[in-house]
Structures are given as structure tokens and as C-alpha cells.
Amino acid sequence: LIGRIENESKRMGSLVEDLLLLARLDQSREMESKPVDLAKVVSDAVISARAAGPDHPVIFQEPEGDFYTLGDVDRIHQVVANLLANARAHTPSGTQITVSINQEKDGIKIAVADNGPGLSEDVQAKIFERFYRADSSRKRTDGEGSGLGLSIVDAVMRAHGGTVSVDSKVGAGATFTLFFPTKN
């Protein structure tokens, strides 16, 4: 009983922290703006994801060259880690997750792709809304989740002047793409 109370307390604490972060982002509070090595942030998040979910092989297509943006390193790490956690939570064991970084002419893209069950167009239209849970189309392995994770990803990316998008087809996996525009 005490263990269950402790676990519930941790879950509620995490929920409160998520809601506070969203409230701060809604108030347009300034985020830290320092050079961030995106390849290192992604590599660190991938290493953590491999440890947290050994049943999901995570492949990092390590890029050549430097990939820097201005931003808050902790929030960017949180965004990448969140996408990796979602991929693990909503796909069956053994599902491969692939992460890549690419330089585009107008910015840098980080893609987190899985070959899981995918998302319908209806779900994709709502996936970044607060408290939205797409459990009906993507298998949730742990039964937990508040529906705030992807709305935090969206809010953090907007605070960095960037975007997050999803491309998916039912039965063909999902790819979430973070876009950090080149700052002039």
C-alpha cells in the first residue's frame, strides 16, 4: 500500500511539474538561449532511451558535422526524450525506433521514427492538444500518461521558434519531426 501511495505521489508530482511548465510557456517566459549541440543532446537522449526501454532497439543515425542551435539544452533534451518515450510507450516490444538529424537550408530537423501501428489522420490532427490521448490507435504498454507530453513538446518547440510535426499512416509507423529554424 505504501509503495502504491509513493508511486501515485511521484506521478502526481510529475503531472504538476508538467502543468507548471506549460503555464510558464503560455506566459511566454524567456527560455535560456545558449548554443546547444543538438547531436550531443540527441545522443544523450538515445543512450537514456536504450537503458529505459531495452525491448525497443533505438538506432541513432549519427550525423557528420556540427548541428547547433540557440536554446535551452534541458528543454531540448526533454523534448527528444519525450518523443523517444512516446515511441516506446505506444509500440509493441521489439519495435525499432530510428533517430536522425539533418541540416536543411532553413534549419535543422530531428526525426524520431518508429515502425509501429501508426496514427490515423483524425488522431494526427489532435495529437498535440493538451490531455489528448490516442490510446485507441496506438498500443500503450504501461497504461500511464496524462496526455501532456506532446503538448509540452509543441510548446517548447514554439518557445524556440521551431515546430513539431507528425507524419504517419495506420499500420506504417509514425515519424515526429522537430524543426529548429536557422536564426539570422
Side-chain angles (χ1 to χ4, degrees):
L1 180 59
I2 291 174
R4 289 179 63 185
I5 291 169
E6 180 182 7
N7 288 340
E8 187 64 18
S9 174
K10 288 177 185 177
R11 191 181 73 74
M12 292 302 293
S14 178
L15 178 62
V16 169
E17 287 176 24
D18 288 348
L19 288 168
L20 285 171
L21 173 60
L22 284 169
R24 287 184 191 114
L25 292 171
D26 284 348
Q27 293 174 355
S28 299
R29 290 193 183 170
E30 287 286 318
M31 293 197 107
E32 192 171 88
S33 187
K34 294 182 179 177
V36 176
D37 181 346
L38 291 175
K40 177 163 179 19
V41 170
V42 170
S43 178
D44 290 347
V46 165
I47 289 167
S48 295
R50 288 174 179 156
D55 292 340
H56 286 82
V58 181
I59 308 301
F60 179 32
Q61 299 172 341
E62 295 195 41
E64 292 186 21
D66 295 328
F67 293 85
Y68 282 87
T69 193
L70 290 176
D72 184 320
V73 68
D74 293 331
R75 294 295 169 226
I76 294 171
H77 183 276
Q78 179 182 14
V79 162
V80 175
N82 198 332
L83 292 179
L84 289 165
N86 272 1
R88 290 190 323 271
H90 295 288
T91 61
S93 290
T95 301
Q96 181 173 300
I97 301 165
T98 304
V99 185
S100 61
I101 303 176
N102 293 298
Q103 179 72 52
E104 304 287 323
K105 70 176 187 158
D106 53 350
I108 298 169
K109 288 186 176 180
I110 298 172
V112 177
D114 66 60
N115 58 355
L119 299 162
S120 70
E121 288 183 23
D122 290 343
V123 169
Q124 290 179 62
K126 299 175 187 173
I127 197 84
F128 298 107
E129 293 176 9
R130 291 179 189 180
F131 301 108
Y132 183 77
R133 294 178 64 181
D135 291 337
S136 61
S137 68
R138 283 171 68 94
K139 180 180 182 265
R140 194 153 179 92
T141 58
D142 61 8
E144 293 296 324
S146 62
L148 290 175
L150 290 176
S151 60
I152 289 173
V153 170
D154 183 51
V156 169
M157 289 307 297
R158 282 186 284 113
H160 281 87
T163 60
V164 59
S165 60
V166 61
D167 181 37
S168 181
K169 290 191 176 24
V170 174
T175 300
F176 286 84
T177 302
L178 306 172
F179 177 72
F180 295 90
T182 303
K183 310 253 192 219
N184 294 330

